[in-house]
Amino acid sequence: FDVAEVESSSSGEDEEALQARLRRRAVEEQLQRCETELGACLWIDTNRAALRVLEDWRGSYEGMRVLELGAGAGACGIALAYDGADSTVTDVEALLPLLQRNVELNPLSM
């Protein structure tokens, strides 16, 4: 067990706050494991070029179904989803926590 967790829980931290902190720590650990994967890098210039090509090819992706294989951080698939596409992003299992976190950070429902 982690002494810091026991100390903070005995210092008056409520159960809900403790659980939230433990969930954050678990996500951070999962994301750290992603760092060893090449796809964890956000290739900014490559993503910009890909999105420019997609924009030139078709003005809007609203209503289209798209599948991004080897999505890495998922930037292109998320961008297409913001444009109205039904977007699915996927990659190797080691990168799924990174993809899930990026999708959570970019909510599409308003």
Side-chain angles (χ1 to χ4, degrees):
F1 68 92
D2 186 344
V3 174
E5 289 175 15
V6 173
E7 288 174 359
S8 69
S9 64
S10 63
S11 69
E13 183 178 35
D14 68 5
E15 182 66 24
E16 187 174 317
L18 175 62
Q19 291 302 318
R21 191 164 51 82
L22 292 174
R23 282 191 301 274
R24 276 193 308 276
R25 178 181 289 166
V27 168
E28 288 170 3
E29 288 174 5
Q30 287 179 324
L31 292 176
Q32 282 181 339
R33 288 193 298 270
C34 292
E35 290 294 321
T36 62
E37 297 292 326
L38 181 62
C41 298
L42 182 59
W43 303 90
I44 294 173
D45 291 336
T46 305
N47 282 317
R48 281 186 187 140
L51 289 170
R52 201 168 319 133
V53 166
L54 290 168
E55 184 178 24
D56 289 346
W57 186 45
R58 184 179 181 94
S60 173
Y61 287 83
E62 187 170 356
M64 293 193 70
R65 294 177 68 194
V66 297
L67 172 63
E68 185 180 9
L69 301 173
C76 288
I78 291 169
L80 290 170
Y82 271 112
D83 190 47
D86 177 8
S87 184
T88 301
V89 292
T90 188
D91 209 310
V92 295
E93 187 174 348
L95 287 174
L96 293 181
L98 176 63
L99 277 172
Q100 182 169 352
R101 183 68 178 144
N102 286 338
V103 169
E104 290 168 359
L105 290 172
N106 292 282
L108 294 172
S109 59
M110 297 184 196

